[in-house]
Structures are given as structure tokens and as C-alpha cells.
Amino acid sequence: MARKAKKRRYSRSSGSDVESEMRRYKKGTAKSGRKGRGGRVKSRKQAIAIGLSKARKKGKKVPKKASKKTSKKKTTRKRTTKKTARKSSKRKSSTR
């Protein structure tokens, strides 16, 4: 009989980091980015991601970020720039 693959697990202490970050998010004091310069955290998902990131930095057991299975190709659209005709005002030189 084939062996089942183990599920990815998070440590309990990493859960407490996420929990504390969620408290800060609900209170409205959670900030994103380096030293909070990215602004206020606006979504629950963002708060969870910040909590997991902090747990990783502390060295706690957190599974690696899940990679996207399907990558969408970005289509680049060429921009057409409109050139406005500038009226050149020629000054008439007056003879003195």
C-alpha cells in the first residue's frame, strides 16, 4: 500500500504570531511595509500574510509560500501617442 504524503503543518507558535497580527489589524494599528511606511493593512489576507512572514523571520515552522501553478502571460499593449500640432509663433522683427 502506498504511503500518503504528509500534509504541510504550521507550528503552534506561528499561529500565535498570526493571531497577534490579526488583533493589531482589528484594532486598526497594523501597518505594512518596512517600518510601517506602506500604510495601513486593509485586508484580512494581508494581515495573515504579515503574521506568517514575521513567524518565518523568527525561524518558526511555516510552510513555504505556495507557488502559482498556472502563470498567466502578460500581454503588452502598445500605446499610441497623439502628437498635438504646436503652433509656432514667429515674432516679426521690427526694424528700428
Side-chain angles (χ1 to χ4, degrees), residues 90-96:
K90 292 182 182 177
R91 291 186 181 173
K92 293 181 183 178
S93 59
S94 59
T95 54
R96 294 184 185 175

Side-chain angles (χ1 to χ4, degrees), residues 77-94:
R77 201 170 20 162
K78 291 182 181 178
R79 284 188 171 182
T80 55
T81 56
K82 292 182 180 179
K83 293 183 180 178
T84 56
R86 293 184 184 175
K87 293 182 181 178
S88 59
S89 58
K90 292 182 182 177
R91 291 186 181 173
K92 293 181 183 178
S93 59
S94 59

Side-chain angles (χ1 to χ4, degrees), residues 41-79:
V41 175
K42 295 178 183 174
S43 69
R44 290 175 60 87
K45 284 185 180 180
Q46 192 178 6
I48 292 166
I50 291 168
L52 289 174
S53 178
K54 286 181 179 178
R56 275 191 195 97
K57 284 178 185 173
K58 290 178 184 176
K60 296 179 181 177
K61 187 181 174 187
V62 181
K64 291 179 182 177
K65 296 176 188 175
S67 61
K68 293 181 181 177
K69 290 179 183 177
T70 57
S71 61
K72 293 180 181 178
K73 290 184 180 179
K74 290 184 179 179
T75 56
T76 55
R77 201 170 20 162
K78 291 182 181 178
R79 284 188 171 182

Side-chain angles (χ1 to χ4, degrees), residues 1-37:
M1 195 167 148
R3 199 184 269 185
K4 283 188 177 179
K6 288 186 178 181
K7 288 185 180 180
R8 291 182 172 188
R9 302 266 180 189
Y10 294 86
S11 65
R12 288 181 184 178
S13 57
S14 68
S16 66
D17 279 344
V18 173
E19 192 177 332
S20 65
E21 191 61 37
M22 285 302 293
R23 255 188 239 109
R24 290 180 63 219
Y25 160 70
K26 287 177 183 177
K27 202 186 272 189
T29 58
K31 302 273 182 109
S32 66
R34 187 174 269 186
K35 295 186 180 177
R37 292 188 181 177

